[in-house]
Amino acid sequence: LADSTEMAPFRRMMKVVRRFLGAQRVQKPFELFSDWLVVGHVDEFCAFVPANSGKKFKLLLASPATFFELMENLQRQGHGSLKLLEGLKWRDDSDAEITVDEFVSGTALRRFNDEIQRHLDYNRDIFKRELGLDEQDIVDIPMPFRGETKNWAG
């Protein structure tokens, strides 16, 4: 896991926004690390949904690691040639289509997503600390990221 010094300095919440949120008195505002995203919006990697237990909500959190586990399971079951993202294009108009085998063996893609997972794990720890969440309050959503440049994900 990354420590706070590794992720700092990062974009900070504007003081006026922090004061506004604090004045709502619902909860103390806290910041997440989202500099690794092109736009930097936290809704690109997390969401909250109602739940009938515990905290009355669950955190849905993107997880490249869970995605790659699913792909490896599909590959072991003999579905390596299964096409994903068939007929879709990336924003740069390149074909998005990729097979399970290509996902699993794409070392650059895997390394990139391993780095993204570290950022997500860092934020997971922030959510746990700030909201008092336990692992059962968090649902890992299988989600790979594609880097648009060396340092950004989207």
Side-chain angles (χ1 to χ4, degrees):
L1 295 177
D3 65 14
S4 59
T5 58
E6 186 172 334
M7 298 301 174
F10 56 88
R11 290 181 275 203
R12 305 296 305 215
M13 188 183 310
M14 293 172 34
K15 287 181 184 179
V16 67
V17 173
R18 181 181 287 282
R19 282 193 301 270
F20 171 77
L21 293 173
Q24 305 307 303
R25 297 186 182 171
V26 175
Q27 71 183 45
K28 181 185 102 189
F30 62 93
E31 297 180 62
L32 297 169
F33 177 65
S34 64
D35 286 11
W36 50 277
L37 293 163
V38 172
V39 178
H41 295 170
V42 298
D43 66 347
E44 295 179 65
F45 65 84
C46 68
F48 294 93
V49 294
N52 292 326
S53 62
K55 301 234 179 288
K56 304 294 182 200
F57 67 88
K58 296 275 186 184
L59 167 63
L60 307 181
L61 190 60
S63 175
T66 302
F67 173 81
F68 279 97
E69 287 173 23
L70 284 173
M71 292 300 105
E72 289 163 356
N73 285 337
L74 283 171
Q75 188 182 48
R76 278 192 296 277
Q77 295 169 10
H79 302 291
S81 62
L82 179 68
K83 293 179 184 177
L84 307 171
L85 309 175
E86 193 169 6
L88 299 178
K89 301 246 184 222
W90 296 112
R91 281 185 276 186
D92 65 5
D93 206 37
S94 64
D95 288 328
E97 185 176 297
I98 188 169
T99 66
V100 169
D101 283 338
E102 290 168 333
F103 254 122
V104 172
S105 66
T107 56
L109 180 66
R110 184 62 177 262
R111 279 193 309 271
F112 180 78
N113 276 274
D114 287 346
E115 181 65 23
I116 298 305
Q117 187 65 56
R118 290 182 64 235
H119 299 322
L120 292 164
D121 290 343
Y122 178 78
N123 285 314
R124 179 187 214 97
D125 289 341
I126 294 172
F127 278 120
K128 285 176 162 181
R129 181 180 66 245
E130 296 293 335
L131 300 178
L133 300 181
D134 296 318
E135 280 302 314
Q136 65 264 21
D137 300 317
I138 303 171
V139 178
D140 290 313
I141 303 298
M143 183 174 158
F145 287 80
R146 177 178 182 256
E148 295 188 352
T149 70
K150 183 179 174 213
N151 298 315
W152 300 96

